[in-house]
Amino acid sequence: MMKTSPSLELRRKQAFGAVRILYGLIWLINTWLQLDPAYSMHFLGTFSADWVSGQPAWIASYGHWMAQLVQLLGAQYVAYATIALDAILAASLITGIGVPLLAWVGVIYNLWLWSTVGGFGGPYTQGATDPGTAIIYALCFLFVVWTRSWEGLSFSKAPHRPIYAPAIHTARILFGILWAFDAYWKWQPYFLTHAVTYLQQALPGEPAWIAAYIGFFISVITWAGPVLFGYFAAIMESIIAFYLIIGRGLRWVIPVGIAYSIGVWTTAEGWGAPFLPGATANKGDVLGTTNIYVIAFLFLAAWVYFTPEPRSNKSKR
C-alpha cells in the first residue's frame, strides 16, 4: 500500500473520530430511552427472547440460566447497571477517553445483550430477516478499536500508532458476512412474497408524518409489485455482501450500502420509533438497527476514501 501523506492521515484520523462521536451520540440517545422506568421494571422479562417458540433447546436452557443469574443479582439492579454502562460507553465514545478499553467492554457487553434479550437474533424460522440488533453494535465497537478512532477529534492523550490494516479488512469481512446472512433470509420464499408486510408492520403507533412517509413507499411498492420489491431487496443485499467480503468496488458499494440501510431504517424500522416503554431493540430502547449499519459503512468510508490505493488497483475499484 502507498504511504499515506501527513495531511491525508490527519483527515483520516478526523474522519474516524467523527464517526466515533456520531456512534457515541446514538449511545447517548439509547441511554436516554432506557431511563424510562418501564425498562428496568420489565428487564428480566425480555430474557424470554431465548425461549420463545422456535428457539433451539440449548438457547432456551442458556436463557433460563442467565435469567436466573440476573434474578439472583437483582433484575432491577442489573438493569440500572446496563443504563450506567450505556452512559459510560456514550461518554467514552464522544470524548475518546477510555478507548480502546471501554470499546472492548462494548464488544463483550453487546454480545451478551445479543445472546440474552436479543435471543441470538432468533428464532430463525419463517419471517426471519436478520440476526438481530446488538450484533451490529458489537461489530461497530470493533471498528472503533481497529481504526484507532480515539486518535482523532478526541481528548485522549494516547500515543499515535499505525493502523493495522489486516484488522480493518477483518472487520470489513465480518460486516460482509453479516450482510450475507441478511441476504440469505431475503431469498427465502416467505420474504419474497411478503416483503411489503414488513413496512406495513412498522405503521402502528408511528407519528402521522412517519406513517405518511412509510405509506408512500408501500403505495409505490404495491404499484410496482411486492414480489419484485422482495427480489430487489434480496439482490441488493447479496451484492453488498459480495463486494464487502471480496474488498472490491468499495468506493461505490459504500454509498449504495448507506443509502439502502437508511431506506430500511426509515421504512421497515420506522426510524426506530415508536419507542415503547419496557421494550427492547427496535420499537424499544434503542434508536434502531440498520442505522448502525450506516455507522459501520462510515468507518469503512473513512478508511477507503482517505487511504491511497496501489496504482495497480485504482482501475479495479
Side-chain angles (χ1 to χ4, degrees), residues 89-104:
L89 291 174
S92 177
L93 289 168
I94 292 170
T95 64
I97 297 173
V99 183
L101 175 61
L102 286 172
W104 282 114

Side-chain angles (χ1 to χ4, degrees), residues 49-216:
D50 274 348
W51 58 81
V52 297
S53 177
Q55 289 283 37
W58 71 270
I59 291 181
S61 298
Y62 166 80
H64 283 295
W65 173 75
M66 191 59 70
Q68 289 171 0
L69 178 60
V70 168
Q71 190 171 26
L72 180 65
L73 295 172
Q76 284 197 305
Y77 292 119
V78 175
Y80 296 149
T82 65
I83 296 172
L85 180 55
D86 287 354
I88 292 170
L89 291 174
S92 177
L93 289 168
I94 292 170
T95 64
I97 297 173
V99 183
L101 175 61
L102 286 172
W104 282 114
V105 171
V107 173
I108 296 169
Y109 171 55
N110 279 279
L111 289 177
W112 179 74
L113 290 175
W114 181 59
S115 71
T116 53
V117 298
F120 288 93
Y124 296 109
T125 55
Q126 179 175 279
T129 59
D130 58 66
T133 299
I135 189 68
I136 183 60
Y137 277 86
L139 179 58
C140 281
F141 271 113
L142 287 180
F143 273 110
V144 168
V145 174
W146 288 340
T147 60
R148 297 190 63 82
S149 61
W150 60 91
E151 292 188 2
L153 302 180
S154 171
F155 291 105
S156 173
K157 301 300 182 182
H160 167 68
R161 292 181 183 176
I163 293 174
Y164 185 54
I168 306 292
H169 296 310
T170 299
R172 168 182 54 76
I173 292 170
L174 290 173
F175 192 35
I177 292 172
L178 183 59
W179 273 98
F181 188 89
D182 290 356
Y184 169 79
W185 289 102
K186 301 303 189 299
W187 283 108
Q188 300 308 303
Y190 182 86
F191 179 85
L192 293 174
T193 56
H194 294 80
V196 73
T197 63
Y198 292 90
L199 277 68
Q200 295 168 338
Q201 291 169 3
L203 288 172
E206 295 285 4
W209 71 271
I210 292 181
Y213 173 88
I214 298 172
F216 168 76

Side-chain angles (χ1 to χ4, degrees), residues 130 132-133 136-137 265 269 282 286-294:
D130 58 66
T133 299
I136 183 60
Y137 277 86
W265 180 60
E269 290 188 27
N282 294 329
V286 299
L287 194 56
T289 300
T290 44
N291 59 327
I292 310 304
Y293 281 60
V294 173

Side-chain angles (χ1 to χ4, degrees), residues 219-242:
S219 299
V220 172
I221 293 168
T222 302
W223 173 80
V227 175
L228 180 63
F229 170 70
Y231 277 103
F232 167 77
I235 292 170
M236 283 296 298
E237 297 193 11
S238 299
I239 291 173
I240 293 170
F242 176 75

